Amino acid sequence: SNDNIRIDFYSKLFNDTLQNSLKWSNNKNIRKIEGRLNLETSLTKDTDGKFFIKSSISPDSIIQNDSVWYISGSKVSGNTERININGLYLYNNYQYLRLNGDLGKEKDDVLNISAKNLEVSTILDLVKFRVLKFNGYATGSAQASSLLSEPDVNGNFKVDSFKIDNGYLGSTDLNIGWRNSDKSIFLNADINGD
């Protein structure tokens, strides 16, 4: 199969603001992947004299495997030590993914992630995870701290209609996380069936 994706990037500097547009498409009619992300970014200095970036993401839409997703307007700001994501929200008719918080080096730099009815296979397709085939609809939340140094990630999700390699397991409660000691993902599952 041909997994080529065309990526176009446009940039324009106007009154100390950089306007960027990123577009991508796999140019297919089936399992279509297409989108656009528009950013306005300004570069300033903070009170300590360090460079500080402020970006606004414009509302738009993307297509992932023929499903239309919408992006809310949100703000991203930061420097080399901390990045703040304020209200990044991706959604379609019955699913959403929301990111809010800080990516940084300290334990109190926490990124909050929440999801509702998110198709597990869609997320795994995005990161090209193909060792096992997971399906189901995840609802829950995760917290990730000190992502720019020693990540600590923990989350709890309820997955409805959970399948592994097409084997139906039913309703499942998942506790997931990142283990720094051996740089691995851990997963604890409580399979409830239906």
Side-chain angles (χ1 to χ4, degrees):
S1 84
N2 186 355
D3 287 339
N4 292 334
I5 295 178
R6 179 187 168 137
I7 299 173
D8 296 312
F9 182 74
Y10 304 95
S11 192
K12 180 171 101 174
L13 183 61
F14 180 73
N15 289 341
D16 297 328
T17 299
L18 190 60
Q19 296 174 336
N20 299 303
S21 181
L22 176 66
K23 296 179 183 181
W24 62 93
S25 176
N26 65 351
N27 295 314
K28 292 183 179 180
N29 291 325
I30 298 173
R31 294 188 57 83
K32 186 174 197 143
I33 299 171
E34 183 175 276
R36 180 177 60 210
L37 187 59
N38 292 308
L39 297 168
E40 274 196 11
T41 303
S42 62
L43 181 64
T44 60
K45 287 191 176 182
D46 64 16
T47 55
D48 296 328
K50 294 180 182 177
F51 283 109
F52 190 78
I53 294 175
K54 292 181 183 178
S55 292
S56 296
I57 300 173
S58 299
D60 219 316
S61 63
I62 61 174
I63 300 172
Q64 173 65 28
N65 292 337
D66 301 324
S67 294
V68 178
W69 285 78
Y70 300 96
I71 304 169
S72 68
S74 62
K75 307 260 186 232
V76 177
S77 59
N79 55 30
T80 57
E81 296 174 11
R82 178 180 290 129
I83 299 166
N84 176 263
I85 299 173
N86 187 351
L88 182 57
Y89 185 50
L90 299 152
Y91 61 98
N92 67 17
N93 291 334
Y94 61 97
Q95 302 177 85
Y96 73 72
L97 176 65
R98 182 177 289 143
L99 305 175
N100 203 51
D102 295 317
L103 286 82
K105 297 177 182 178
E106 305 300 324
K107 282 283 185 195
D108 61 347
D109 294 328
V110 178
L111 180 65
N112 294 297
I113 304 155
S114 61
K116 181 178 178 190
N117 291 327
L118 195 61
E119 286 184 59
V120 174
S121 62
T122 299
I123 297 302
L124 296 178
D125 282 349
L126 286 173
V127 297
K128 304 275 186 202
F129 181 85
R130 297 191 174 121
V131 176
L132 293 170
K133 186 175 180 181
F134 291 93
N135 294 89
Y137 300 91
T139 298
S141 62
Q143 293 74 40
S145 63
S146 56
L147 284 173
L148 300 181
S149 58
E150 294 194 17
D152 182 17
V153 180
N154 287 291
N156 293 294
F157 294 88
K158 180 175 180 68
V159 182
D160 292 322
S161 303
F162 191 51
K163 294 180 186 178
I164 298 177
D165 282 340
N166 294 320
Y168 186 79
L169 300 174
S171 178
T172 303
D173 293 316
L174 294 178
N175 174 262
I176 61 169
W178 174 257
R179 194 175 10 241
N180 263 319
S181 60
D182 60 356
K183 308 289 186 229
S184 65
I185 295 170
F186 71 82
L187 177 82
N188 292 320
D190 183 10
I191 300 168
N192 304 314
D194 281 333

